[in-house]
Amino acid sequence: MTIFESIILGIVQGLGEFLPISSSGHLIIVPYLFNLKPHSLSFDVALHLGTLCAVGIYFFSDWLKLIKQGFLSLKEGTLAGTSERRLFWFILIATIPGALAGKFLENNAETAFRKPLLVALALGGFALILYLAQKINKGTKSLSDIKLRDAFLIGLAQSLAIFPGISRSGATIASGLFLNLKKEEAVRFSFLLSFPIILGAGILKFKDIIIECQNHAFYFLAGFSVSALFGLLSIHFLLRFIRKYSFNLFIWYRIAVSLLVIIVFILRKG
């Protein structure tokens, strides 16, 4: 890997983690399209830790409130109170399906699921699901209105992100839309929900990252830093973009990239 490649992959991760286009999918198809040497899953996780920093920084005050209310709920033994109190526990509960999927499908995530053609099909197929979710969304709920059932269903959708090309943010946003969350609220919940799942993946892979980082520290640091910077930019962009526009830009983008990868796959015969 070169420093240029680590920077490019950092940009891909930073933009793809929060936009509904699948960062993990792009980290597979970008090297495939440009004939770059495949990188390790440990490097993927290091890039994800960059976006963890981004969402932690951007929503720092939100997380302070959520954690404070979470501890108060334990101290007082009740969920009654501010909406942040329930939201804290809903986020933790919604993280469970994704954590279990990551645990039990880890080996497949590193091998069988990382095929460019499968990623292309997932990109295109899920574009249709995002379109349908947007089409039927009534936009009647805010985050203060969601119930435990809603949070758990969004968490189940997040577990689908174990398949590169589905998109963690795309799955959680789409499920939020299906549950009639307002667009901005679905996006916001998706961003908040990303923090514990990325943190958990980082902790599990931390030893592998440290071992590999000993020989490639500069590349890891460059990818991590660029990922964090572009993660901040993509969060800010999407929160503003979705106030005025639909998700159609991302839907058409997914379809276009899916077709491109399929065409390249056919021309190269795999």
Side-chain angles (χ1 to χ4, degrees):
M1 178 182 291
T2 66
I3 185 63
F4 176 74
E5 291 172 7
S6 65
I7 290 173
I8 291 298
L9 293 174
I11 294 172
V12 168
Q13 169 61 28
L15 295 177
E17 177 62 37
F18 301 111
L19 303 181
I21 58 174
S22 180
S23 62
S24 58
H26 278 71
L27 288 174
I28 294 170
I29 61 176
V30 167
Y32 172 74
L33 290 174
F34 294 97
N35 288 315
L36 302 179
K37 184 179 179 181
H39 53 277
S40 66
L41 191 62
S42 295
F43 185 73
D44 269 18
V45 177
L47 296 180
H48 278 76
L49 290 178
T51 47
L52 174 70
C53 287
V55 76
I57 292 170
Y58 201 94
F59 292 102
F60 182 73
S61 60
D62 296 74
W63 272 107
L64 282 182
K65 293 176 185 177
L66 289 168
I67 293 171
K68 177 183 177 181
Q69 290 301 321
F71 278 114
L72 283 176
S73 69
L74 289 174
K75 181 180 178 181
E76 298 171 5
T78 178
L79 291 179
T82 66
S83 59
E84 285 87 357
R85 186 171 295 196
R86 290 186 303 111
L87 187 58
F88 173 83
W89 291 107
F90 286 175
I91 289 173
L92 292 188
I93 291 170
T95 302
I96 294 173
L100 292 175
K103 175 64 176 177
F104 292 111
L105 296 175
E106 180 180 10
N107 291 334
N108 287 323
E110 296 184 19
T111 54
F113 297 160
R114 297 172 68 85
K115 306 294 184 184
L117 184 58
L118 291 179
V119 173
L121 294 175
L123 279 170
F126 200 82
L128 301 178
I129 294 176
L130 184 57
Y131 171 79
L132 181 60
Q134 178 177 254
K135 194 75 172 175
I136 70 172
N137 175 255
K138 297 177 181 177
T140 56
K141 291 182 181 179
S142 64
L143 287 184
S144 59
D145 298 320
I146 66 171
K147 308 297 183 186
L148 177 59
R149 168 184 168 275
D150 300 326
F152 187 72
L153 289 174
I154 295 174
L156 281 177
Q158 179 170 250
S159 68
L160 296 176
I162 194 70
F163 301 98
I166 294 292
S167 171
R168 189 209 60 78
S169 60
T172 51
I173 290 170
S175 57
L177 295 177
F178 275 123
L179 294 167
N180 291 318
L181 278 174
K182 298 173 184 177
K183 290 187 301 180
E184 300 92 328
E185 300 287 77
V187 169
R188 191 175 187 82
F189 190 73
S190 172
F191 289 165
L192 290 172
L193 189 55
S194 70
F195 191 87
I197 197 73
I198 298 175
L199 178 62
I203 292 172
L204 289 175
K205 283 290 181 180
F206 189 71
K207 182 179 178 181
D208 294 336
I209 292 173
I210 294 299
I211 293 173
E212 192 170 339
C213 196
Q214 291 176 358
N215 298 321
H216 307 286
F218 187 63
Y219 301 138
F220 271 65
L221 181 60
F224 170 87
S225 302
V226 173
S227 174
L229 173 61
F230 278 83
L232 282 167
L233 293 175
S234 65
I235 291 172
H236 188 68
F237 165 76
L238 188 57
L239 286 172
R240 287 180 172 269
F241 178 87
I242 209 60
R243 293 173 189 170
K244 296 182 179 180
Y245 307 104
S246 69
F247 291 98
N248 287 345
L249 172 66
F250 309 108
I251 292 170
W252 285 113
Y253 173 82
R254 292 177 68 108
I255 292 172
V257 173
S258 173
L259 292 175
L260 174 62
V261 174
I262 291 172
I263 290 171
V264 171
F265 181 86
I266 293 173
L267 292 177
R268 291 181 182 174
K269 297 181 180 179

